[in-house]
Amino acid sequence: MILSQRPTLTQYLIDQRRRFPQASGDFNALILDVALACKAIAQAVAWGELGGVLGRQRDGAADAINVQGEAQMRLDVLSNEVFLRQNEWGGQLAGMASEEMEQPYPIPQQYPRGKYLLVFDPLDGSSNIDVNVSVGSIFSVLRAPEGAQQPGRELRETDFLQSGDRQVAAGYAIYGPATMLILTVGNGVAGFTLDPGLGEFMLTHPDIQVPCDTREFAINASNSRFWEAPVKRYVDECLAGREGPRDKDFNMRWIASMVAEAHRILMRGGVFLYPRDSKDAARPGRLRLLYEANPIGFIIEQAGGRVSTGRQNVLEVQPDSLHQRIPLVFGSRNEVERIERYHAEPVAREFEAPLFAERSLFRA
Ligand code: AHG
Ligand code: MN
Ligand code: MN
């Protein structure tokens, strides 16, 4: 095949850097290393059963469990290793943090330290690996605090506890029918499709915009009995369709890979909710702030969408721990704003728990 006229990821990054004549090139090198990690993971995922890396991670005789108390898949662990090895050596980072590691990962002694921090979910949607449904990797780039790159200074959890609006860049790779990389460096959102022959990410989606309106929502409806009243009201009104107050029919989707839902929403609009619920009092939400909600939120905002806890902009939340969970709503601006309004308004009687349960559309 003749080389297409599309810019590569490298060309895109160089073009973006021209806005900052002083830039050292470290940032671009970092993004290219992250992209290479994603290509390696894409390859491992694509081999499926033939690669011999599917299934549960074993810890001796038992299934391995990560810091979140969730079963680890072999590909979770492998993807984490790929991210660490590919990004530790280049001198751009002062440290990393991942869903799969309880503590932050300091840069090994033999490598220089740099001015950025990398936070990631190496494989999102693990429960879908064995069923050949799209999974992805999510990453967020932060500036390391002053002094954190000095040799001898130990890496601290607090170095990473920065609100989402301080992200320098964020992105995800989706391992679907095609592998794509979606990236924001704070100047809109660009989408790249992997050319498997060249091994290059080609710019195919130069300025992604999330439509303001939608007729599609995504929520795990099996949790409906644990939802708060504003969420019940929102979903109930969607389900009521043309006969209800929204006066239009909605579609529901749930892939259980947030990356895949985010991607669908970026491509054609929609709203995603993993709200706070009462299923487990110790958990204020399902998804993690630093390596799921913040990077996806930054991308969605840069594409003209909105991201919220229901009560405030996610990107303004000051994190208090590395693996903190957060209620998450994102997508088409007008829907997210409506959900925020429902959280701010007093709760109508009918949506208070017991009554709602009687008349809920989820019940016969
Ligand atoms: P991970 O595989 O990184 O632990 O994340 C899975 C997340 C997210 O991708 C998805 O939206 C959600 O968990 C699925 O939750 P349910 O199991 O409630 O469907
Ligand atoms: Mn995840
Ligand atoms: Mn994960």
Side-chain angles (χ1 to χ4, degrees):
M1 195 181 75
I2 308 280
L3 251 185
S4 76
Q5 291 307 300
R6 301 178 191 281
T8 63
L9 173 62
T10 310
Q11 283 173 283
Y12 174 84
L13 289 170
I14 290 172
D15 209 37
Q16 293 292 317
R17 195 179 73 189
R18 292 195 174 126
R19 294 186 293 135
F20 307 99
Q22 264 61 272
S24 63
D26 276 5
F27 175 77
N28 286 6
L30 170 62
I31 299 297
L32 290 173
D33 280 341
V34 170
L36 183 52
C38 293
K39 286 189 263 189
I41 298 167
Q43 210 167 53
V45 169
W47 277 98
E49 193 63 41
L50 295 174
V53 288
L54 299 189
R56 289 280 173 85
Q57 174 77 12
R58 305 290 289 178
D59 196 354
D63 285 342
I65 302 291
N66 71 9
V67 243
Q68 339 270 336
E70 287 161 1
Q72 259 180 332
M73 308 299 280
R74 289 171 73 190
L75 267 174
D76 280 326
V77 176
L78 187 129
S79 304
N80 193 58
E81 283 297 309
V82 170
F83 257 84
L84 293 179
R85 296 295 86 75
Q86 201 49 49
N87 293 295
E88 66 185 357
W89 62 275
Q92 301 97 5
L93 293 177
M96 294 184 249
S98 157
E99 179 189 345
E100 303 302 335
M101 301 181 297
E102 184 164 10
Q103 299 299 329
Y105 178 85
I107 299 304
Q109 290 277 325
Q110 68 266 37
Y111 302 124
R113 291 192 197 175
K115 55 178 179 283
Y116 296 108
L117 298 172
L118 181 66
V119 192
F120 51 89
D121 175 352
L123 203 61
D124 175 68
S126 303
S127 70
N128 284 321
I129 292 169
D130 287 351
V131 292
N132 199 16
V133 165
S134 296
V135 291
S137 303
I138 312 173
F139 62 92
S140 162
V141 179
L142 298 166
R143 251 175 243 291
E146 206 67 41
Q149 52 183 131
Q150 298 314 316
R153 150 73 150 76
E154 89 286 11
L155 187 66
R156 302 169 194 149
E157 177 175 355
T158 50
D159 295 339
F160 293 85
L161 304 183
Q162 304 183 30
S163 56
D165 49 18
R166 292 170 66 186
Q167 292 173 100
V168 175
Y172 65 80
I174 176 165
Y175 314 120
T179 290
M180 288 188 71
L181 183 82
I182 305 298
L183 178 69
T184 180
V185 297
N187 183 30
V189 180
F192 303 83
T193 304
L194 182 64
D195 176 326
L198 293 171
E200 283 283 352
F201 280 113
M202 314 302 285
L203 181 63
T204 46
H205 298 68
D207 183 21
I208 302 174
Q209 293 287 330
V210 180
C212 294
D213 291 297
T214 182
R215 288 162 180 258
E216 216 161 53
F217 68 102
I219 191 163
N220 182 345
S222 70
N223 292 325
S224 62
R225 69 189 185 282
F226 305 112
W227 293 339
E228 295 180 320
V231 172
K232 287 175 176 167
R233 172 182 173 191
Y234 176 75
V235 173
D236 208 20
E237 289 180 0
C238 290
L239 294 175
R242 214 184 288 279
E243 282 75 57
R246 299 301 305 274
D247 204 22
K248 58 179 183 181
D249 290 336
F250 281 77
N251 247 333
M252 185 162 80
R253 291 284 181 276
W254 189 251
I255 305 171
S257 286
M258 188 188 50
V259 156
E261 325 277 358
H263 194 68
R264 184 188 62 246
I265 289 169
L266 275 179
M267 293 297 119
R268 67 176 192 212
V271 60
F272 172 97
L273 303 94
Y274 218 121
R276 186 161 85 188
D277 62 37
S278 60
K279 194 173 182 178
D280 177 351
R283 284 183 175 191
R286 164 89 166 79
L287 296 162
R288 280 59 56 108
L289 176 57
L290 286 176
Y291 41 82
E292 291 176 322
N294 275 344
I296 295 294
F298 189 22
I299 293 166
I300 293 285
E301 237 186 34
Q302 283 289 315
R306 189 166 170 81
V307 61
S308 177
T309 64
R311 294 173 167 87
Q312 83 178 110
N313 186 329
V314 164
L315 301 180
E316 287 166 6
V317 173
Q318 173 57 44
D320 53 36
S321 68
L322 205 52
H323 300 287
Q324 173 179 353
R325 295 175 193 259
I326 188 121
L328 180 62
V329 179
F330 67 79
S332 295
R333 173 167 286 276
N334 292 336
E335 285 314 283
V336 178
E337 284 175 357
R338 173 184 290 270
I339 294 164
E340 289 181 310
R341 260 193 333 267
Y342 289 5
H343 279 83
E345 282 170 12
V347 174
R349 263 276 173 68
E350 58 182 313
F351 294 106
E352 276 167 4
L355 249 179
F356 178 87
E358 272 164 41
R359 65 171 294 280
S360 167
L361 289 158
F362 288 120
R363 300 210 157 193

